Amino acid sequence: MGTTVFWMLPLLLVMPVEVRESSDFHLAGDYLLGGLFTLHANIKGIAHLNYMQVPRCKDYDVKVLGYNLMQAMRFAVEEINNDSRLLPGVSLGYEMVDVCYVTNNIQPVLYFLAKENFNLPIQQDYSSYEPRVVAVIGPDTSESVVTVSNFLSLFLLPQITYSAVSDEFRDNSRFPALFRTIPSGEHQIKAMIQLITYFHWNWVIVIESLPVPLGNKTLMPAEKRRLEAIVDKIQNSSAKVVVVLSLDLALYDFFEEAISQNVTGYVWIASESWSIDPVIHGISRIQQIGTFLGISTQNIPIPGFSDFRVRQTPTGRPETDKKHSGPTCNQECDTCPDTLKSYNAILTHSGDRVAYNVYSAVYTVAHALHRLLGCNAIGCAKDTVYPWKLLQEIRKVNFTLLGHRIYFDKNGDPPMGLEIIQWQWDTGHDPFKRIAFYNPAQQYLSNVATNISWNTPNNSAPFSVCSNSCQLGQRKKPMGLHICCFECINCPAGTYLNQSGDFECQPCPPHEWSNEGEAHCFRRRLRFLEWREPATLAVALLAGLGFLGTLGALGVFCADCWTPVSVLFNLCFTLCMACITVRSFQIVCVFKMARRLPRAYSCWLRYRGPYASAGLLTLLKAAVVAAHVLLTPAGLTVRHDPDDARAMTLNCNGHYGRALLLNTGLDLALCVLAFGFAYLGRELPTSYSEAKFITLSVTFYFVSSVFLCTFVSVYQGVLVTIFDMAVTVVNLLGISVGYFGPKCYLILFCPERNTAAYFNGVIQGYTMRKE
């Protein structure tokens, strides 16, 4: 070790140090242990201490738990010294010091490191250095452990803390000589989280820092106002669970303030530092502010300790070191044991939880010494014990103590579990009743009691959540920064959520649907046109009328097929449109083409132009339809009904819009041509001109077909079928009534005008007028 070993000491320390003795309790022995305990809760006149000399007992209010732990160390030492199987022929001694929370840490550790003459020399190599003690037990708080360990680690002097839980102590590079007999803070927090999760609490208040009173137990006015504000904020919060991680020193005033403000109905979760504190447990009317739960170490009874704890004058005690000057608080003061007697009943009922941690720490050092000194059934070698050698043996200890295995993992942590306790105030019962157990190895909360007594009107667990759980079919919408705060929003139609806790709704499968706020989707019902529906009946009626009209026109034309009006029309709609187009062109040809282009007109007649044109157009339409059928085969397609999302429609053609455009495209082109030829023939003789009738028919067809294509492009519901049928029927009726109607009228009611002589006369008159 180098010359910089005292880098943590004040800069003025440049020479060997003389450390003034200040131990509270001293017991001689072959090998001494150092004990650091918080024995007094409030100190009067601490600023007047000279050389860190500890005041006498009369200047203190005894800290019951600290005194109890000190007694546990004394008991363990006496038990080991009286056991011939462990360290035979060797007696342990101890030096115990009150660290007063954090105000008296450095002086005791320097005292422990000093030699018998109270000097602490500066050396280049401390491997052969013999400090006053071979190991240190304590202190209790993490802050004090850090301070003490920074000194002890330089000498590799073993240190075992019994209640400091900070996770930073797992760093072996910073704390190479530190062990602990209590589970780490990580496991304590995990146990709390599992407890909170078990009761479905997600809105919790966490308190870590509270105002600390002065030595005379009073708070400064500013600190008093801060404490009142903290309690007031708790009452104004919707949370009903409060986790308190503060030191016990600040809790007495805190709970007194909570009682004075009439706080009720809360669950208070205590950290290990105060979960079994009998003084806080004994605060008047504290049970009215709610239910107290806490995290504590395992309750492992230590036989004989309860009687030893209140024994005023220990019998068979080894002789006290003669160098020790003057009486000390814990050795001679009668009021200290008397104070403990008043709490002995509650300490007895509460079990030896933290006391076992001190007890096992002393036994750990004893077993390590037993191995280091090569002890057997007869005795041990009286060799010099160097701290670094003892440290190596402590790392290897593995023994059974009161039915529990004691050893340390690579981080210096023990295999100890944690208990979840509930405070009780029934006389004669355990004030700290175990209600669950946490195993650090499995990281699981088990054996949760069902008979927990809740300080609520109906004895049920309080409800502490930021937001109530959403119902099935509702998603969470976050509110603020906390994921446990949200509002519940119904899933929109077409989505579902069958488990609570999700922030997104799931879409329904294609053939299923859901209403708003549903937890499941249902299969869409199949919708189709039924005969009893009014729309179907109306279209069927129109179709019937159209069919009858077509039959009537066909009968009239067949009966008078020899007349000039009659032309052979095919019932095929495209052929019909082709015939109308050719018919309108032929009328123009007769009156204009024959006079201007006689040769072309002659070819038109010779090669049966009307029939050839109608046939070619029909064949073209047939080719278009055949190509579409071959390239796009028909298949069953399911569509969602836009009028009713709970329904679906079946379609034999998945590309109905494209098919409709192909089927009507040629017909629309013929309509345009027919309209054009009809316009050219507007000057023909009134009796012969069919421009008005053709214009009416093709215009009606053009408008209805364009409307149908537009409707299909924006709508895919069951109404498409109705509109398709209705437009087809209307188009047929339009052609039947608009084009064939006048001709049937001429045939039936004007037979004198349905003669070849009449038509020839009209043509000759028109020709003579043009000439």
Side-chain angles (χ1 to χ4, degrees):
M1 302 176 69
T3 58
T4 59
V5 293
F6 285 103
W7 62 273
M8 287 294 294
L9 296 180
L11 295 179
L12 56 87
L13 185 61
V14 293
M15 57 185 297
V17 180
E18 179 179 351
V19 182
R20 184 169 181 177
E21 182 183 8
S22 63
S23 60
D24 277 356
F25 195 100
H26 177 90
L27 184 67
D30 296 308
Y31 301 100
L32 290 179
L33 302 179
L36 299 176
F37 302 95
T38 298
L39 303 177
H40 302 96
N42 294 282
I43 305 171
K44 301 177 182 178
I46 189 69
H48 301 293
L49 297 180
N50 297 320
Y51 300 99
M52 296 288 185
Q53 180 70 36
V54 178
R56 298 303 179 205
C57 177
K58 61 183 179 180
D59 296 325
Y60 290 91
D61 291 323
V62 176
K63 176 173 168 56
V64 176
L65 280 183
Y67 191 85
N68 185 54
L69 300 180
M70 185 206 72
Q71 293 289 67
M73 181 172 178
R74 290 183 58 212
F75 178 76
V77 171
E78 286 199 16
E79 195 173 67
I80 293 170
N81 289 340
N82 293 329
D83 188 353
S84 60
R85 294 168 300 177
L86 186 61
L87 294 175
V90 175
S91 62
L92 294 179
Y94 49 77
E95 298 272 4
M96 295 186 183
V97 176
D98 183 2
V99 296
C100 304
Y101 282 98
V102 295
T103 59
N104 188 35
N105 288 320
I106 297 179
Q107 191 272 343
V109 71
L110 293 177
Y111 172 71
F112 289 156
L113 291 173
K115 290 180 174 293
E116 291 296 328
N117 57 3
F118 308 119
N119 289 328
L120 182 58
I122 298 177
Q123 300 178 187
Q124 183 176 3
D125 183 7
Y126 286 94
S127 60
S128 299
Y129 181 74
E130 298 180 52
R132 187 177 185 85
V133 299
V134 296
V136 173
I137 309 299
D140 52 353
T141 65
S142 297
E143 294 82 356
S144 298
V145 169
V146 171
T147 303
V148 172
S149 183
N150 283 330
F151 288 99
L152 299 183
S153 295
L154 299 175
F155 295 83
L156 294 181
L157 194 150
Q159 176 187 6
I160 306 177
T161 177
Y162 45 84
S163 63
V165 298
S166 175
D167 290 329
E168 65 178 329
F169 299 150
R170 292 181 169 183
D171 187 352
N172 292 327
S173 62
R174 289 184 57 196
F175 307 98
L178 179 62
F179 304 87
R180 54 184 165 192
T181 54
I182 185 173
S184 68
E186 175 188 2
H187 294 303
Q188 182 179 161
I189 297 301
K190 286 183 177 180
M192 285 186 178
I193 292 175
Q194 291 205 18
L195 174 66
I196 291 170
T197 304
Y198 181 84
F199 291 107
H200 307 289
W201 299 323
N202 64 15
W203 197 231
V204 177
I205 300 171
V206 178
I207 299 178
E208 293 183 317
S209 176
L210 289 172
V212 179
L214 299 176
N216 57 0
K217 291 186 177 181
T218 60
L219 287 172
M220 297 294 291
E223 297 297 317
K224 176 67 173 176
R225 289 192 296 270
R226 179 184 166 212
L227 191 62
E228 293 173 353
I230 292 174
V231 176
D232 183 68
K233 191 172 183 179
I234 292 174
Q235 291 222 80
N236 293 330
S237 172
S238 59
K240 290 297 181 181
V241 177
V242 184
V243 176
V244 184
L245 304 177
S246 302
L247 291 175
D248 55 343
L249 185 64
L251 295 180
Y252 193 93
D253 293 297
F254 170 74
F255 285 117
E256 287 283 358
E257 181 63 30
I259 295 171
S260 66
Q261 291 195 26
N262 197 28
V263 175
T264 58
Y266 286 81
V267 175
W268 305 89
I269 299 180
S271 63
E272 189 278 334
S273 64
W274 65 278
S275 61
I276 58 171
D277 194 311
V279 177
I280 300 177
H281 181 277
I283 296 177
S284 177
R285 299 184 298 139
I286 192 173
Q287 60 267 35
Q288 76 181 28
I289 68 174
T291 304
F292 282 79
L293 306 178
I295 310 297
S296 178
T297 55
Q298 286 182 256
N299 179 20
I300 303 175
I302 304 175
F305 178 55
S306 295
D307 295 334
F308 178 90
R309 180 166 46 215
V310 294
R311 191 177 65 188
Q312 185 168 354
T313 304
T315 59
R317 186 186 66 201
E319 183 181 358
T320 303
D321 190 349
K322 304 303 182 188
K323 297 179 183 179
H324 192 277
S325 59
T328 57
C329 171
N330 298 321
Q331 180 73 5
E332 305 295 342
C333 179
D334 293 336
T335 61
C336 297
D338 291 340
T339 302
L340 190 64
K341 283 182 180 180
S342 62
Y343 289 97
N344 188 52
I346 188 173
L347 289 172
T348 301
H349 287 299
S350 63
D352 302 317
R353 288 182 168 88
V354 185
Y356 181 82
N357 296 348
V358 177
Y359 182 78
S360 61
V362 176
Y363 266 89
T364 296
V365 177
H367 277 270
L369 278 172
H370 190 89
R371 289 172 55 92
L372 182 61
L373 297 176
C375 299
N376 52 34
I378 301 176
C380 304
K382 297 297 180 67
D383 296 337
T384 300
V385 175
Y386 297 109
W388 62 272
K389 287 187 177 182
L390 181 62
L391 178 65
Q392 295 177 353
E393 295 298 331
I394 290 179
R395 290 196 179 105
K396 297 184 289 185
V397 295
N398 193 331
F399 61 96
T400 301
L401 182 64
L402 301 181
H404 292 265
R405 298 298 300 172
I406 303 297
Y407 62 91
F408 300 101
D409 62 15
K410 62 180 181 180
N411 298 317
D413 293 335
M416 299 292 292
L418 292 170
E419 292 182 353
I420 312 297
I421 61 171
Q422 180 188 14
W423 286 15
Q424 300 183 114
W425 287 269
D426 297 335
T427 305
H429 292 82
D430 185 356
F432 308 112
K433 173 187 175 183
R434 168 177 162 172
I435 61 171
F437 180 78
Y438 176 81
N439 190 325
Q442 300 176 353
Q443 298 187 8
Y444 180 73
L445 197 67
S446 61
N447 302 325
V448 181
T450 58
N451 59 341
I452 300 176
S453 299
W454 301 101
N455 192 3
T456 55
N458 55 357
N459 194 30
S460 60
F463 192 69
S464 185
V465 295
C466 181
S467 302
N468 295 328
S469 299
C470 293
Q471 302 295 324
L472 297 180
Q474 293 181 329
R475 69 175 181 87
K476 295 179 178 178
K477 180 182 178 181
M479 297 174 58
L481 301 177
H482 305 287
I483 61 173
C484 59
C485 298
F486 51 85
E487 60 177 325
C488 298
I489 305 296
N490 285 338
C491 290
T495 63
Y496 73 100
L497 193 59
N498 57 9
Q499 59 182 7
S500 60
D502 285 353
F503 289 87
E504 296 295 335
C505 300
Q506 303 298 320
C508 292
H511 302 331
E512 296 183 359
W513 188 254
S514 68
N515 296 323
E516 180 182 351
E518 290 287 342
H520 301 281
C521 297
F522 54 85
R523 187 169 182 82
R524 300 174 191 255
R525 74 173 188 272
L526 184 61
R527 186 179 179 188
F528 53 89
L529 292 178
E530 299 182 10
W531 283 108
R532 64 175 181 271
E533 295 186 18
T536 306
L537 297 176
V539 173
L541 179 60
L542 288 176
L545 294 176
F547 180 72
L548 294 176
T550 304
L551 288 180
L554 178 62
V556 172
F557 274 61
C558 290
D560 298 273
C561 59
W562 50 270
T563 62
V565 179
S566 298
V567 180
L568 182 61
F569 288 92
N570 194 291
L571 295 179
C572 176
F573 198 81
T574 301
L575 180 59
C576 178
M577 293 303 303
C579 291
I580 292 176
T581 304
V582 172
R583 176 63 175 170
S584 61
F585 174 73
Q586 186 175 1
I587 294 174
V588 175
C589 267
V590 171
F591 290 94
K592 295 186 178 183
M593 187 177 175
R595 180 170 57 86
R596 299 177 183 179
L597 301 171
R599 295 183 61 182
Y601 179 69
S602 176
C603 291
W604 172 263
L605 294 177
R606 184 184 311 118
Y607 294 106
R608 298 180 180 274
Y611 297 102
S613 299
L616 289 175
L617 291 173
T618 304
L619 290 176
L620 178 61
K621 178 63 176 289
V624 171
V625 173
H628 178 262
V629 171
L630 293 176
L631 296 177
T632 310
L636 185 63
T637 303
V638 178
R639 294 186 184 275
H640 304 154
D641 192 345
D643 298 327
D644 186 357
R646 298 170 297 179
M648 59 183 178
T649 59
L650 300 179
N651 197 319
C652 294
N653 193 335
H655 305 282
Y656 180 77
R658 186 173 62 186
L660 179 65
L661 183 61
L662 288 174
N663 290 332
T664 59
L666 182 59
D667 297 337
L668 290 174
L670 293 176
C671 283
V672 174
L673 288 175
F675 184 86
F677 292 142
Y679 180 78
L680 292 176
R682 67 186 184 278
E683 298 178 355
L684 295 179
T686 303
S687 299
Y688 199 87
S689 176
E690 298 180 353
K692 293 184 293 183
F693 309 135
I694 294 176
T695 301
L696 176 63
S697 300
V698 298
T699 301
F700 197 86
Y701 173 77
F702 184 85
V703 173
S704 61
S705 298
V706 170
F707 175 77
L708 177 61
C709 292
T710 304
F711 182 77
V712 171
S713 66
V714 298
Y715 181 80
Q716 301 293 329
V718 73
L719 292 179
V720 170
T721 305
I722 298 176
F723 273 85
D724 191 2
M725 294 172 58
V727 168
T728 301
V729 172
V730 169
N731 287 338
L732 290 173
L733 288 176
I735 294 175
S736 299
V737 177
Y739 182 75
F740 294 103
K743 296 184 180 301
C744 292
Y745 176 81
L746 183 65
I747 294 173
L748 296 176
F749 301 102
C750 302
E752 70 279 2
R753 297 168 58 184
N754 189 19
T755 61
Y758 178 81
F759 277 91
N760 289 334
V762 171
I763 295 173
Q764 290 176 2
Y766 175 79
T767 304
M768 291 175 65
R769 286 195 302 271
K770 288 295 181 179
E771 294 177 352

